[in-house]
Amino acid sequence: MTAALLWLALILAVTGGLWGLSRRPPHVTVTRDVPPSGFEGGQLPLTVTVTVRSRRPLRVQFSDPAPRSVVVRQELSAAALHLGETTHTFTTTLRLNRRGQFEWPGLDLAWADPLGLFWQQTTVPASTAVTVYPGTHGLLLPDLLRPLLSEGSLSRQLGLDDPLSLRSAREYVTGDAPGRIHWRLSARRGELVVREPERTAASSLTVFVDASAGGPTFVDSAVRLAASLLREGQTLGLPVAAAAGGQVTPAGRGTDALHAALHLLARLDPDPAPPALPATRAGGNLIILTARPSADLTTQALRARATASRVSIVALPEGFYLEPGEQARRQWAGLPDAVRDLERRAAVLAESGILVYVLRGNQSVLTLAG
């Protein structure tokens, strides 16, 4: 009986000692070395270093889960018996699946006595943010963006048409835009005559995304198109800016301005608030991307034309356009009434210097205005 009590006391003492060893967590530090931003569909190099310090022998397990929509190629976890100081280094890549700004959660830490009898867990704070810019794609934009000039002289081929400034008139040639036909002069001459407007240089490019009229699918498509337009504009040497949700980024030619615009687009979500166009830089080019252009948005575009060299309204009705690589599909419904109304007013708006593009049927954003 006495021996049994002694063995019981010994077991209780050992158990109490093990429980005491597991009460306090080890000292753990986490450092993540990863670029702060990247493009959707791309990859970023990632290095995670976890240092564990403990004066007592402890069994330690930890894992470093990545935020949603970003995927780590290698699982960031380890389990081992620690005493003193040990360092674990993981070198891998981070795949960026979806645009957005993601806050990396802390390290999940679990520890126990050497025998693994008493487990406890906590989260080690480690703040890391990764911004995933929207992906971009090549564009065929001879009328919408390609003719822009940021500096230099103008010619009959280069620069932006200014419908409010008439240079001359000529006979209609197949391929001329219907909005250029001078109907009064055509009736007087008895043949179709088109206007030859003056050319004007663009001082900047601003892309506005109307996030109030479409759902997540439209916003994702519009954001990718906006990012593509901005990168094209920067390639041409234009100061670029993005606007959405009552915000507008500073216009500039450098990478900082482009990154600020992409950062705004990366965080954009559907917003029920009415769209509000920003003040446009004098001589600039304003491109409006919308799913259902409202009458108020068209009125704001007319006001913006007072200072902008060109205003373009690009309607992307959901279900009526194709993303790059998307297969053609059958259309079961007609265009929304707001888009049909915009098409009916396209010629009148063109007279005021506002160009209208509607992607309908199975038209692709790659050949926008092509």
Side-chain angles (χ1 to χ4, degrees):
M1 185 69 178
T2 303
L5 291 175
L6 289 175
W7 275 109
L8 180 60
L10 179 61
I11 292 174
L12 291 175
V14 172
T15 304
L18 293 175
W19 177 78
L21 286 176
S22 65
R23 288 189 61 188
R24 290 182 299 171
H27 184 267
V28 178
T29 58
V30 184
T31 58
R32 302 188 186 99
D33 185 12
V34 59
S37 59
F39 284 92
E40 183 180 22
Q43 295 184 349
L44 294 177
L46 171 66
T47 301
V48 179
T49 303
V50 181
T51 302
V52 181
R53 300 182 182 90
S54 176
R55 295 181 180 179
R56 299 160 288 118
L58 290 176
R59 191 171 296 277
V60 177
Q61 295 180 357
F62 62 82
S63 62
D64 193 20
R68 289 185 175 183
S69 300
V70 296
V71 179
V72 181
R73 183 182 296 273
Q74 174 187 355
E75 184 179 3
L76 306 179
S77 62
L81 184 64
H82 289 269
L83 178 61
E85 179 176 324
T86 56
T87 300
H88 300 265
T89 301
F90 303 89
T91 301
T92 181
T93 57
L94 192 66
R95 190 170 72 247
L96 311 177
N97 287 344
R98 181 175 173 77
R99 67 176 179 88
Q101 186 175 19
F102 305 99
E103 294 291 337
W104 203 295
L107 183 78
D108 293 336
L109 175 67
W111 72 95
D113 57 90
L115 297 182
L117 298 178
F118 303 100
W119 283 95
Q120 301 187 57
Q121 59 184 9
T122 188
T123 299
V124 179
S127 178
T128 304
V130 178
T131 301
V132 182
Y133 295 149
T136 59
H137 46 67
L139 298 171
L140 302 176
L141 305 171
D143 297 327
L144 191 64
L145 188 63
R146 289 292 184 188
L148 299 188
L149 291 177
S150 57
E151 303 290 347
S153 59
L154 303 174
S155 69
R156 296 177 65 89
Q157 290 79 31
L158 296 178
L160 289 169
D161 289 340
D162 185 0
L164 299 184
S165 179
L166 183 63
R167 179 174 66 233
S168 62
R170 60 171 175 81
E171 294 182 2
Y172 176 85
V173 178
T174 302
D176 286 335
R180 287 189 178 182
I181 298 177
H182 196 308
W183 295 107
R184 291 184 180 179
L185 189 57
S186 298
R188 190 180 308 147
R189 293 188 179 182
E191 60 180 357
L192 288 179
V193 177
V194 296
R195 294 179 175 87
E196 277 288 335
E198 294 286 353
R199 297 277 178 170
T200 180
S203 61
S204 65
L205 170 65
T206 302
V207 181
F208 174 81
V209 179
D210 175 16
S212 66
T217 301
F218 159 75
V219 173
D220 286 342
S221 297
V223 161
R224 278 190 289 269
L225 178 56
S228 304
L229 290 168
L230 291 172
R231 295 190 74 176
E232 290 282 348
Q234 188 195 44
T235 301
L236 295 174
L238 292 171
V240 296
Q247 302 181 53
V248 59
T249 61
R253 292 185 175 88
T255 56
D256 290 343
L258 180 61
H259 287 176
L262 294 175
H263 186 78
L264 174 63
L265 296 175
R267 298 180 291 111
L268 186 62
D269 293 318
D271 184 3
L277 293 182
T280 307
R281 185 175 176 178
N285 183 18
L286 174 62
I287 300 177
I288 303 169
L289 307 181
T290 180
R292 297 190 178 187
S294 62
D296 179 63
L297 183 63
T298 305
T299 301
Q300 294 184 53
L302 288 169
R303 294 171 183 166
R305 178 62 181 90
T307 56
S309 292
R310 170 180 286 179
V311 177
S312 303
I313 301 178
V314 181
L316 304 172
E318 291 191 79
F320 284 85
Y321 60 89
L322 300 179
E323 286 284 342
E326 189 177 1
Q327 296 297 321
R329 56 180 177 271
R330 187 183 298 275
Q331 303 296 327
W332 298 101
L335 289 172
D337 292 339
V339 178
R340 291 185 180 278
D341 182 64
L342 181 67
E343 282 191 319
R344 286 192 292 265
R345 301 175 58 189
V348 176
L349 292 173
E351 296 288 338
S352 301
I354 298 179
L355 304 182
V356 174
Y357 298 97
V358 177
L359 267 66
R360 56 186 303 156
N362 284 326
Q363 294 175 341
S364 171
V365 294
L366 292 176
T367 57
L368 183 65

